[in-house]
Coordinates of all heavy atoms in Angstrom, one line a residue:
H1 N 16.6 -13.1 46.3 CA 17.3 -12.5 45.1 C 17.2 -13.4 43.9 O 17.1 -12.9 42.8 CB 18.8 -12.3 45.4 CG 19.0 -11.2 46.5 ND1 18.9 -9.9 46.2 CD2 19.3 -11.3 47.8 CE1 19.1 -9.2 47.3 NE2 19.4 -10.0 48.3
Q2 N 17.3 -14.7 44.1 CA 17.2 -15.6 43.0 C 15.8 -15.5 42.3 O 15.8 -15.5 41.0 CB 17.4 -17.1 43.5 CG 17.4 -18.1 42.4 CD 18.6 -18.0 41.4 OE1 19.6 -17.4 41.8 NE2 18.4 -18.5 40.2
A3 N 14.7 -15.3 43.0 CA 13.4 -15.2 42.4 C 13.3 -13.9 41.6 O 12.7 -13.9 40.5 CB 12.3 -15.2 43.5
D4 N 13.9 -12.8 42.1 CA 13.9 -11.5 41.4 C 14.7 -11.7 40.1 O 14.3 -11.1 39.1 CB 14.5 -10.4 42.3 CG 13.6 -10.0 43.5 OD1 12.4 -10.3 43.4 OD2 14.1 -9.4 44.4
R5 N 15.8 -12.4 40.2 CA 16.6 -12.5 39.0 C 15.9 -13.3 37.9 O 15.8 -13.0 36.8 CB 17.9 -13.2 39.4 CG 18.8 -13.4 38.2 CD 20.2 -13.8 38.7 NE 21.1 -13.8 37.5 CZ 21.7 -14.8 37.0 NH1 21.6 -16.0 37.6 NH2 22.5 -14.7 36.0
E6 N 15.2 -14.4 38.4 CA 14.5 -15.2 37.4 C 13.3 -14.5 36.8 O 13.0 -14.6 35.6 CB 14.0 -16.5 38.1 CG 15.1 -17.5 38.4 CD 14.6 -18.7 39.3 OE1 13.4 -18.8 39.5 OE2 15.5 -19.5 39.7
E7 N 12.7 -13.6 37.6 CA 11.6 -12.8 37.2 C 12.1 -11.8 36.1 O 11.4 -11.5 35.1 CB 10.9 -12.1 38.4 CG 9.5 -11.7 38.1 CD 8.8 -11.2 39.4 OE1 8.8 -11.9 40.3 OE2 8.4 -10.0 39.4
A8 N 13.2 -11.2 36.4 CA 13.8 -10.2 35.5 C 14.2 -10.9 34.1 O 13.9 -10.3 33.0 CB 15.0 -9.6 36.1
I9 N 14.7 -12.1 34.2 CA 15.1 -12.8 33.0 C 13.8 -13.1 32.2 O 13.8 -13.0 30.9 CB 15.9 -14.1 33.3 CG1 17.3 -13.7 33.9 CG2 16.0 -15.0 32.1 CD1 18.1 -14.8 34.4
K10 N 12.8 -13.6 32.8 CA 11.5 -13.9 32.2 C 10.9 -12.6 31.5 O 10.5 -12.7 30.4 CB 10.5 -14.4 33.2 CG 9.2 -14.8 32.6 CD 8.3 -15.4 33.6 CE 6.9 -15.7 33.0 NZ 5.9 -16.1 34.0
A11 N 11.0 -11.5 32.2 CA 10.4 -10.2 31.7 C 11.2 -9.8 30.5 O 10.7 -9.3 29.5 CB 10.5 -9.1 32.8
M12 N 12.6 -10.0 30.5 CA 13.4 -9.6 29.4 C 13.1 -10.5 28.2 O 13.0 -10.0 27.0 CB 14.9 -9.7 29.7 CG 15.3 -8.6 30.6 SD 17.0 -8.7 31.2 CE 18.0 -9.2 29.8
A13 N 12.9 -11.8 28.4 CA 12.5 -12.7 27.3 C 11.2 -12.3 26.7 O 11.0 -12.3 25.4 CB 12.5 -14.1 27.8
E14 N 10.2 -12.0 27.5 CA 8.9 -11.6 27.0 C 9.0 -10.3 26.2 O 8.4 -10.2 25.1 CB 7.9 -11.4 28.2 CG 7.5 -12.7 28.8 CD 6.7 -12.5 30.1 OE1 6.4 -11.3 30.5 OE2 6.3 -13.5 30.7
A15 N 9.8 -9.3 26.7 CA 10.0 -8.1 26.0 C 10.7 -8.3 24.6 O 10.3 -7.7 23.6 CB 10.8 -7.1 26.8
E16 N 11.6 -9.2 24.6 CA 12.3 -9.5 23.3 C 11.4 -10.1 22.3 O 11.4 -9.8 21.2 CB 13.5 -10.4 23.6 CG 14.4 -10.6 22.4 CD 15.6 -11.4 22.7 OE1 16.0 -11.5 23.8 OE2 16.2 -12.0 21.7
A17 N 10.5 -11.0 22.8 CA 9.6 -11.7 21.9 C 8.6 -10.6 21.3 O 8.3 -10.7 20.2 CB 8.8 -12.8 22.7
I18 N 8.2 -9.7 22.2 CA 7.3 -8.6 21.7 C 8.0 -7.8 20.6 O 7.4 -7.5 19.6 CB 6.8 -7.8 22.9 CG1 5.8 -8.6 23.7 CG2 6.1 -6.5 22.4 CD1 5.5 -7.9 25.1
R19 N 9.2 -7.4 20.9 CA 10.0 -6.6 19.9 C 10.2 -7.3 18.6 O 10.0 -6.7 17.5 CB 11.4 -6.2 20.5 CG 11.3 -5.1 21.5 CD 12.7 -4.5 21.8 NE 13.6 -5.6 22.3 CZ 13.7 -5.9 23.5 NH1 13.0 -5.4 24.5 NH2 14.6 -6.9 23.9
E20 N 10.5 -8.6 18.7 CA 10.6 -9.4 17.4 C 9.3 -9.5 16.6 O 9.3 -9.4 15.4 CB 11.1 -10.8 17.8 CG 12.6 -10.8 18.2 CD 13.0 -12.2 18.7 OE1 12.2 -13.2 18.7 OE2 14.2 -12.3 19.1
K21 N 8.2 -9.7 17.3 CA 6.9 -9.7 16.7 C 6.6 -8.4 16.0 O 6.1 -8.3 14.9 CB 5.8 -10.1 17.7 CG 4.4 -10.2 17.1 CD 3.4 -10.6 18.2 CE 2.0 -10.6 17.6 NZ 1.0 -10.9 18.6
E22 N 6.8 -7.3 16.7 CA 6.6 -5.9 16.2 C 7.5 -5.6 15.0 O 7.1 -5.0 14.0 CB 6.8 -4.9 17.3 CG 5.7 -4.9 18.3 CD 5.9 -4.0 19.5 OE1 7.1 -3.5 19.7 OE2 5.0 -3.7 20.3
A23 N 8.8 -6.1 15.1 CA 9.7 -5.9 14.0 C 9.2 -6.6 12.7 O 9.3 -6.1 11.6 CB 11.1 -6.3 14.4
A24 N 8.7 -7.8 12.9 CA 8.2 -8.6 11.8 C 7.0 -7.9 11.1 O 6.9 -7.8 9.9 CB 7.9 -10.0 12.2
A25 N 6.1 -7.4 12.0 CA 4.9 -6.7 11.5 C 5.3 -5.5 10.7 O 4.8 -5.2 9.7 CB 4.0 -6.4 12.6
Y26 N 6.3 -4.7 11.3 CA 6.8 -3.5 10.6 C 7.4 -3.8 9.3 O 7.1 -3.1 8.3 CB 7.8 -2.8 11.5 CG 8.5 -1.6 10.8 CD1 7.8 -0.4 10.6 CD2 9.7 -1.8 10.3 CE1 8.4 0.6 10.0 CE2 10.4 -0.7 9.6 CZ 9.7 0.5 9.5 OH 10.3 1.5 8.8
A27 N 8.2 -4.9 9.2 CA 8.8 -5.2 7.9 C 7.8 -5.6 6.9 O 7.9 -5.2 5.7 CB 9.8 -6.4 8.2
T28 N 6.8 -6.3 7.3 CA 5.7 -6.7 6.3 C 5.0 -5.4 5.8 O 4.7 -5.3 4.6 CB 4.7 -7.6 7.0 OG1 5.4 -8.8 7.4 CG2 3.6 -8.0 6.1
L29 N 4.6 -4.5 6.8 CA 3.9 -3.3 6.4 C 4.8 -2.4 5.5 O 4.3 -1.9 4.5 CB 3.5 -2.6 7.7 CG 2.6 -1.4 7.5 CD1 1.3 -1.8 6.9 CD2 2.4 -0.7 8.9
K30 N 6.1 -2.3 5.8 CA 7.0 -1.5 5.0 C 7.1 -2.0 3.6 O 7.1 -1.3 2.7 CB 8.4 -1.5 5.7 CG 9.4 -0.6 5.0 CD 10.7 -0.6 5.7 CE 11.6 0.3 4.8 NZ 13.0 0.2 5.2
A31 N 7.2 -3.4 3.5 CA 7.3 -4.0 2.1 C 6.0 -3.7 1.3 O 6.1 -3.4 0.1 CB 7.6 -5.5 2.3
E32 N 4.9 -3.8 2.0 CA 3.6 -3.5 1.3 C 3.5 -2.1 0.9 O 3.1 -1.8 -0.3 CB 2.5 -3.9 2.3 CG 1.1 -3.7 1.6 CD 0.0 -4.1 2.6 OE1 0.1 -5.1 3.3 OE2 -1.0 -3.3 2.7
H33 N 3.9 -1.2 1.7 CA 3.8 0.2 1.4 C 4.8 0.6 0.2 O 4.5 1.4 -0.6 CB 4.1 1.1 2.6 CG 2.9 1.3 3.5 ND1 1.8 1.9 3.1 CD2 2.7 0.8 4.7 CE1 0.9 1.8 4.1 NE2 1.5 1.2 5.1
G34 N 6.0 -0.1 0.3 CA 7.0 0.1 -0.8 C 6.4 -0.4 -2.1 O 6.6 0.3 -3.2
A35 N 5.8 -1.5 -2.1 CA 5.2 -2.0 -3.4 C 4.1 -1.1 -3.9 O 4.0 -0.8 -5.1 CB 4.6 -3.4 -3.2
N36 N 3.3 -0.6 -3.0 CA 2.2 0.3 -3.3 C 2.8 1.6 -3.9 O 2.3 2.1 -4.9 CB 1.3 0.7 -2.1 CG 0.5 -0.5 -1.7 OD1 0.4 -1.5 -2.4 ND2 -0.1 -0.4 -0.5
A37 N 3.8 2.2 -3.3 CA 4.4 3.4 -3.8 C 5.0 3.2 -5.2 O 4.9 4.0 -6.1 CB 5.5 3.9 -2.8
A38 N 5.7 2.0 -5.4 CA 6.3 1.7 -6.7 C 5.2 1.6 -7.8 O 5.4 2.1 -8.9 CB 7.1 0.4 -6.6
A39 N 4.1 1.0 -7.4 CA 3.0 0.8 -8.4 C 2.4 2.2 -8.7 O 2.1 2.5 -9.9 CB 1.9 -0.1 -7.8
M40 N 2.3 3.0 -7.7 CA 1.8 4.4 -8.0 C 2.7 5.2 -8.9 O 2.3 5.8 -9.8 CB 1.7 5.1 -6.6 CG 0.9 6.3 -6.7 SD -0.9 6.0 -6.4 CE -0.9 5.4 -4.7
E41 N 4.0 5.1 -8.7 CA 5.0 5.8 -9.5 C 4.9 5.3 -11.0 O 4.9 6.1 -11.9 CB 6.4 5.6 -9.0 CG 6.7 6.4 -7.7 CD 6.6 7.9 -8.0 OE1 7.1 8.4 -9.0 OE2 6.0 8.6 -7.2
K42 N 4.8 4.0 -11.1 CA 4.7 3.4 -12.5 C 3.4 3.9 -13.2 O 3.4 4.2 -14.4 CB 4.7 1.9 -12.4 CG 6.1 1.3 -12.1 CD 6.1 -0.2 -12.0 CE 7.4 -0.8 -11.6 NZ 7.4 -2.2 -11.6
A43 N 2.4 3.9 -12.4 CA 1.1 4.4 -13.0 C 1.2 5.8 -13.4 O 0.8 6.2 -14.6 CB 0.0 4.2 -12.0
I44 N 1.7 6.7 -12.6 CA 1.8 8.1 -12.9 C 2.7 8.3 -14.2 O 2.3 9.0 -15.1 CB 2.4 8.9 -11.7 CG1 1.3 8.9 -10.6 CG2 2.8 10.3 -12.1 CD1 1.8 9.4 -9.3
K45 N 3.9 7.6 -14.2 CA 4.8 7.8 -15.4 C 4.1 7.3 -16.6 O 4.2 7.9 -17.7 CB 6.1 7.0 -15.1 CG 7.0 7.7 -14.1 CD 8.2 6.9 -13.9 CE 9.0 7.6 -12.8 NZ 10.2 6.8 -12.4
A46 N 3.4 6.1 -16.6 CA 2.7 5.6 -17.8 C 1.6 6.5 -18.2 O 1.5 6.8 -19.4 CB 2.1 4.2 -17.5
L47 N 0.9 7.1 -17.3 CA -0.2 8.0 -17.7 C 0.3 9.3 -18.3 O -0.2 9.8 -19.2 CB -1.1 8.3 -16.5 CG -1.9 7.1 -16.0 CD1 -2.6 7.5 -14.7 CD2 -3.0 6.7 -17.0
E48 N 1.4 9.8 -17.7 CA 2.0 11.0 -18.2 C 2.6 10.8 -19.6 O 2.6 11.8 -20.4 CB 3.0 11.5 -17.2 CG 2.4 12.1 -16.0 CD 3.5 12.6 -15.0 OE1 4.6 12.1 -15.0 OE2 3.1 13.4 -14.1
K49 N 3.0 9.6 -19.9 CA 3.5 9.3 -21.3 C 2.4 8.9 -22.2 O 2.7 8.6 -23.4 CB 4.6 8.2 -21.2 CG 5.8 8.6 -20.5 CD 6.8 7.5 -20.5 CE 8.1 7.9 -19.8 NZ 9.0 6.7 -19.8
G50 N 1.2 8.8 -21.7 CA 0.1 8.4 -22.6 C 0.0 7.0 -22.9 O -0.5 6.5 -23.9
M51 N 0.6 6.2 -22.0 CA 0.7 4.7 -22.2 C -0.3 4.0 -21.3 O 0.1 2.9 -20.7 CB 2.1 4.3 -22.0 CG 3.1 4.9 -23.0 SD 4.8 4.7 -22.6 CE 4.9 3.0 -22.1
A52 N -1.4 4.5 -21.0 CA -2.4 3.9 -20.0 C -2.8 2.5 -20.4 O -2.8 1.6 -19.6 CB -3.6 4.8 -19.9
G53 N -3.0 2.2 -21.7 CA -3.4 0.9 -22.1 C -2.4 -0.2 -21.8 O -2.8 -1.2 -21.3
G54 N -1.2 0.1 -22.0 CA -0.1 -0.9 -21.7 C 0.1 -1.1 -20.2 O 0.3 -2.2 -19.7
F55 N -0.1 0.0 -19.5 CA 0.1 0.0 -18.0 C -1.0 -0.9 -17.4 O -0.7 -1.7 -16.5 CB 0.0 1.4 -17.4 CG -0.1 1.3 -15.9 CD1 1.0 1.0 -15.1 CD2 -1.3 1.5 -15.3 CE1 0.9 1.0 -13.8 CE2 -1.4 1.5 -13.9 CZ -0.3 1.2 -13.1
L56 N -2.2 -0.9 -17.9 CA -3.3 -1.6 -17.4 C -3.1 -3.2 -17.4 O -3.7 -3.9 -16.7 CB -4.6 -1.3 -18.1 CG -5.1 0.1 -17.8 CD1 -6.4 0.4 -18.7 CD2 -5.4 0.4 -16.4
Q57 N -2.1 -3.6 -18.2 CA -1.8 -5.0 -18.4 C -0.7 -5.5 -17.4 O -0.4 -6.6 -17.3 CB -1.3 -5.3 -19.8 CG -2.2 -4.8 -20.9 CD -3.4 -5.6 -21.1 OE1 -3.4 -6.8 -20.9 NE2 -4.6 -5.0 -21.4
T58 N -0.2 -4.6 -16.5 CA 0.9 -4.9 -15.7 C 0.5 -5.3 -14.3 O -0.6 -5.1 -13.8 CB 1.9 -3.7 -15.6 OG1 1.2 -2.6 -14.9 CG2 2.3 -3.2 -16.9
H59 N 1.5 -5.9 -13.6 CA 1.3 -6.3 -12.2 C 1.1 -5.0 -11.3 O 0.3 -5.0 -10.4 CB 2.6 -7.0 -11.7 CG 2.5 -7.3 -10.2 ND1 1.7 -8.2 -9.6 CD2 3.3 -6.8 -9.2 CE1 1.9 -8.2 -8.3 NE2 2.9 -7.4 -8.1
A60 N 1.8 -3.9 -11.7 CA 1.7 -2.7 -11.0 C 0.2 -2.2 -11.0 O -0.3 -1.7 -10.0 CB 2.6 -1.6 -11.5
A61 N -0.5 -2.4 -12.1 CA -1.9 -2.0 -12.2 C -2.7 -2.8 -11.3 O -3.7 -2.3 -10.6 CB -2.4 -2.1 -13.6
D62 N -2.4 -4.1 -11.2 CA -3.1 -5.0 -10.2 C -2.9 -4.6 -8.8 O -3.9 -4.5 -8.0 CB -2.7 -6.5 -10.4 CG -3.1 -7.1 -11.7 OD1 -4.0 -6.6 -12.3 OD2 -2.4 -8.0 -12.1
V63 N -1.7 -4.2 -8.4 CA -1.4 -3.7 -7.1 C -2.2 -2.5 -6.8 O -2.8 -2.3 -5.8 CB 0.1 -3.5 -6.9 CG1 0.4 -2.8 -5.6 CG2 0.9 -4.8 -7.0
L64 N -2.2 -1.5 -7.8 CA -2.9 -0.3 -7.6 C -4.4 -0.5 -7.5 O -5.1 0.1 -6.7 CB -2.6 0.6 -8.8 CG -3.0 2.1 -8.7 CD1 -2.3 2.7 -7.5 CD2 -2.5 2.8 -10.0
R65 N -4.9 -1.5 -8.3 CA -6.4 -1.8 -8.2 C -6.7 -2.3 -6.8 O -7.7 -1.9 -6.2 CB -6.7 -2.8 -9.3 CG -8.2 -3.1 -9.5 CD -8.5 -4.1 -10.6 NE -8.0 -3.6 -11.9 CZ -6.9 -4.1 -12.5 NH1 -6.2 -5.1 -12.0 NH2 -6.5 -3.6 -13.7
R66 N -6.0 -3.2 -6.3 CA -6.2 -3.8 -4.9 C -6.1 -2.7 -3.9 O -6.9 -2.6 -3.0 CB -5.2 -4.9 -4.6 CG -5.6 -6.2 -5.3 CD -4.8 -7.4 -4.8 NE -3.3 -7.1 -4.8 CZ -2.6 -7.5 -5.8 NH1 -3.1 -8.1 -6.9 NH2 -1.3 -7.3 -5.8
M67 N -5.2 -1.8 -4.1 CA -5.0 -0.7 -3.1 C -6.2 0.3 -3.2 O -6.7 0.7 -2.1 CB -3.7 0.1 -3.5 CG -3.2 1.0 -2.4 SD -1.6 1.7 -2.8 CE -2.1 3.1 -3.8
A68 N -6.7 0.6 -4.4 CA -7.9 1.4 -4.5 C -9.1 0.8 -4.0 O -9.9 1.5 -3.4 CB -8.1 1.8 -6.0
E69 N -9.2 -0.5 -4.2 CA -10.4 -1.2 -3.7 C -10.5 -1.2 -2.1 O -11.6 -1.1 -1.6 CB -10.5 -2.7 -4.2 CG -10.8 -2.8 -5.6 CD -10.6 -4.1 -6.2 OE1 -9.9 -5.0 -5.5 OE2 -11.0 -4.4 -7.3
G70 N -9.4 -1.2 -1.5 CA -9.3 -1.3 0.0 C -9.1 0.1 0.6 O -9.1 0.2 1.8
S71 N -9.0 1.1 -0.2 CA -8.7 2.4 0.4 C -9.9 3.2 0.8 O -10.9 3.3 0.1 CB -8.0 3.3 -0.7 OG -7.7 4.6 -0.2
G72 N -9.8 3.7 2.0 CA -10.8 4.6 2.5 C -10.4 6.0 2.5 O -11.1 6.9 2.8
D73 N -9.1 6.2 2.0 CA -8.5 7.5 2.0 C -9.0 8.4 0.8 O -9.0 9.6 0.9 CB -7.0 7.4 1.9 CG -6.4 6.8 3.1 OD1 -7.0 6.7 4.2 OD2 -5.2 6.3 3.0
T74 N -9.4 7.7 -0.2 CA -9.8 8.4 -1.4 C -11.3 8.6 -1.4 O -12.0 7.7 -1.0 CB -9.4 7.6 -2.7 OG1 -8.0 7.2 -2.6 CG2 -9.6 8.4 -4.0
G75 N -11.8 9.7 -1.9 CA -13.2 10.0 -1.9 C -13.9 9.0 -2.8 O -13.3 8.4 -3.7
S76 N -15.2 8.7 -2.5 CA -16.0 7.7 -3.2 C -16.0 8.0 -4.7 O -15.8 7.0 -5.5 CB -17.4 7.7 -2.7 OG -18.2 6.9 -3.4
D77 N -16.2 9.2 -5.2 CA -16.2 9.5 -6.6 C -14.9 9.3 -7.2 O -14.8 8.7 -8.3 CB -16.7 10.9 -6.8 CG -18.1 11.1 -6.5 OD1 -18.9 10.2 -6.4 OD2 -18.5 12.3 -6.3
E78 N -13.8 9.7 -6.5 CA -12.5 9.5 -7.1 C -12.1 8.1 -7.1 O -11.5 7.6 -8.1 CB -11.4 10.3 -6.2 CG -11.5 11.8 -6.3 CD -10.6 12.5 -5.3 OE1 -10.2 11.9 -4.3 OE2 -10.2 13.6 -5.6
R79 N -12.5 7.3 -6.1 CA -12.2 5.9 -6.1 C -12.9 5.2 -7.2 O -12.3 4.3 -7.9 CB -12.5 5.2 -4.8 CG -12.2 3.8 -4.7 CD -12.4 3.1 -3.3 NE -13.6 3.5 -2.6 CZ -13.5 4.2 -1.5 NH1 -12.4 4.5 -0.9 NH2 -14.7 4.5 -0.9
Q80 N -14.2 5.5 -7.5 CA -14.9 4.9 -8.6 C -14.3 5.3 -9.9 O -14.2 4.4 -10.8 CB -16.4 5.4 -8.5 CG -17.2 4.6 -7.6 CD -17.1 3.1 -7.8 OE1 -16.6 2.4 -7.0 NE2 -17.6 2.6 -9.0
M81 N -13.8 6.5 -10.1 CA -13.2 6.9 -11.3 C -11.9 6.1 -11.5 O -11.6 5.6 -12.6 CB -12.9 8.4 -11.3 CG -12.3 8.9 -12.6 SD -11.8 10.6 -12.6 CE -13.2 11.4 -12.0
L82 N -11.1 6.0 -10.5 CA -9.9 5.3 -10.5 C -10.1 3.8 -10.9 O -9.4 3.2 -11.7 CB -9.1 5.4 -9.2 CG -7.7 4.8 -9.1 CD1 -6.8 5.3 -10.2 CD2 -7.1 5.0 -7.8
L83 N -11.1 3.2 -10.2 CA -11.4 1.8 -10.4 C -11.9 1.6 -11.8 O -11.6 0.6 -12.5 CB -12.4 1.3 -9.4 CG -11.8 1.1 -8.0 CD1 -12.8 0.8 -7.0 CD2 -10.7 0.0 -8.0
S84 N -12.7 2.5 -12.3 CA -13.2 2.4 -13.7 C -12.1 2.4 -14.7 O -12.0 1.6 -15.6 CB -14.2 3.5 -14.0 OG -15.4 3.4 -13.3
F85 N -11.1 3.3 -14.5 CA -10.0 3.4 -15.3 C -9.1 2.2 -15.3 O -8.8 1.6 -16.3 CB -9.1 4.6 -14.9 CG -7.7 4.6 -15.4 CD1 -7.5 4.8 -16.8 CD2 -6.6 4.2 -14.6 CE1 -6.2 4.8 -17.3 CE2 -5.4 4.2 -15.1 CZ -5.1 4.4 -16.5
L86 N -8.9 1.7 -14.0 CA -8.0 0.5 -13.9 C -8.7 -0.8 -14.4 O -8.0 -1.7 -14.8 CB -7.7 0.3 -12.4 CG -6.7 1.3 -11.8 CD1 -6.6 1.2 -10.3 CD2 -5.3 1.2 -12.5
S87 N -10.0 -0.8 -14.5 CA -10.7 -2.0 -15.0 C -10.8 -1.9 -16.6 O -11.2 -2.9 -17.2 CB -12.1 -2.1 -14.4 OG -12.9 -1.1 -14.9
G88 N -10.4 -0.8 -17.1 CA -10.4 -0.6 -18.6 C -11.9 -0.4 -19.0 O -12.2 -0.6 -20.2
S89 N -12.7 0.0 -18.1 CA -14.1 0.2 -18.4 C -14.4 1.3 -19.4 O -13.7 2.3 -19.4 CB -14.9 0.5 -17.1 OG -16.2 0.9 -17.3
S90 N -15.4 1.1 -20.2 CA -15.8 2.2 -21.1 C -16.4 3.4 -20.4 O -16.7 4.4 -21.0 CB -16.7 1.7 -22.2 OG -17.9 1.1 -21.6
E91 N -16.8 3.2 -19.1 CA -17.4 4.3 -18.3 C -16.4 5.4 -18.1 O -16.7 6.5 -17.8 CB -17.8 3.7 -16.9 CG -19.0 2.7 -17.0 CD -19.3 2.2 -15.6 OE1 -19.0 2.9 -14.6 OE2 -19.8 1.1 -15.6
Y92 N -15.1 5.0 -18.1 CA -14.0 6.0 -17.8 C -13.8 6.8 -19.1 O -13.4 6.3 -20.1 CB -12.7 5.4 -17.4 CG -11.6 6.4 -17.3 CD1 -11.6 7.4 -16.3 CD2 -10.6 6.4 -18.2 CE1 -10.6 8.3 -16.2 CE2 -9.6 7.4 -18.2 CZ -9.6 8.3 -17.2 OH -8.6 9.2 -17.2
A93 N -13.9 8.1 -19.0 CA -13.6 9.0 -20.1 C -12.5 9.9 -19.6 O -12.7 10.7 -18.7 CB -14.8 9.8 -20.6
P94 N -11.3 9.8 -20.2 CA -10.1 10.6 -19.7 C -10.5 12.1 -19.8 O -11.0 12.6 -20.8 CB -9.0 10.3 -20.6 CG -9.5 9.3 -21.6 CD -10.9 9.0 -21.3
Q95 N -10.1 12.8 -18.7 CA -10.4 14.3 -18.7 C -9.2 14.9 -18.0 O -9.0 14.8 -16.8 CB -11.6 14.6 -17.9 CG -12.9 14.0 -18.5 CD -14.1 14.3 -17.6 OE1 -14.0 15.0 -16.6 NE2 -15.3 13.9 -18.1
S96 N -8.4 15.6 -18.8 CA -7.3 16.4 -18.4 C -6.5 15.9 -17.2 O -6.3 16.6 -16.3 CB -7.8 17.9 -18.1 OG -8.7 17.9 -17.0
G97 N -6.1 14.7 -17.3 CA -5.2 14.1 -16.2 C -5.8 13.9 -14.9 O -5.1 14.0 -13.9
Q98 N -7.1 13.7 -14.8 CA -7.8 13.6 -13.5 C -7.2 12.4 -12.7 O -7.0 12.4 -11.5 CB -9.3 13.4 -13.6 CG -10.0 14.7 -13.8 CD -11.5 14.5 -13.9 OE1 -12.0 13.5 -14.5 NE2 -12.3 15.3 -13.4
I99 N -7.0 11.3 -13.4 CA -6.5 10.1 -12.8 C -5.1 10.4 -12.3 O -4.7 10.0 -11.1 CB -6.5 8.9 -13.8 CG1 -7.9 8.5 -14.2 CG2 -5.7 7.7 -13.2 CD1 -8.7 8.0 -13.0
T100 N -4.2 11.0 -13.1 CA -2.9 11.4 -12.6 C -3.0 12.2 -11.4 O -2.2 12.0 -10.4 CB -2.1 12.1 -13.7 OG1 -2.1 11.3 -14.9 CG2 -0.7 12.3 -13.3
G101 N -3.9 13.2 -11.4 CA -4.0 14.0 -10.2 C -4.5 13.3 -9.0 O -3.9 13.5 -7.9
I102 N -5.4 12.3 -9.1 CA -5.8 11.5 -8.0 C -4.6 10.7 -7.5 O -4.4 10.6 -6.3 CB -6.9 10.6 -8.4 CG1 -8.2 11.4 -8.7 CG2 -7.2 9.5 -7.3 CD1 -9.3 10.5 -9.3
L103 N -3.8 10.1 -8.3 CA -2.7 9.3 -7.9 C -1.6 10.1 -7.2 O -0.9 9.6 -6.3 CB -2.1 8.6 -9.1 CG -3.0 7.5 -9.8 CD1 -2.3 6.9 -11.0 CD2 -3.4 6.4 -8.8
K104 N -1.5 11.4 -7.7 CA -0.4 12.2 -7.0 C -0.8 12.7 -5.7 O 0.0 13.2 -4.9 CB -0.1 13.4 -8.0 CG 0.7 13.0 -9.2 CD 1.1 14.2 -10.0 CE 2.0 13.8 -11.2 NZ 2.4 14.9 -12.0
Q105 N -2.1 12.6 -5.3 CA -2.5 13.1 -4.0 C -1.9 12.4 -2.9 O -1.9 11.5 -2.4 CB -4.0 13.1 -3.9 CG -4.7 14.1 -4.7 CD -6.2 14.0 -4.6 OE1 -6.8 13.1 -3.9 NE2 -6.9 15.0 -5.1

């Protein structure tokens, strides 16, 4: 009985360590997604108000740029357009809110 008890205590400690590790990973991921969502909201609001130039100078624009660079969710053409816009490139020519539409997807 003593060996079974010690084995159960060991298994519980291992399970608790796993839960703590998963909780920490979740908290990190949640914070990252929260920052990304906030940056996206700021971008959309700035673009809708016609304040794109000022937005491009913000930390939120940097977050959005990093997110776009690492994103596989957005189509290649859309990602290139978004990155051109975020870099302030002259290659980007605004067209009827395309960037706002991409961000809202």
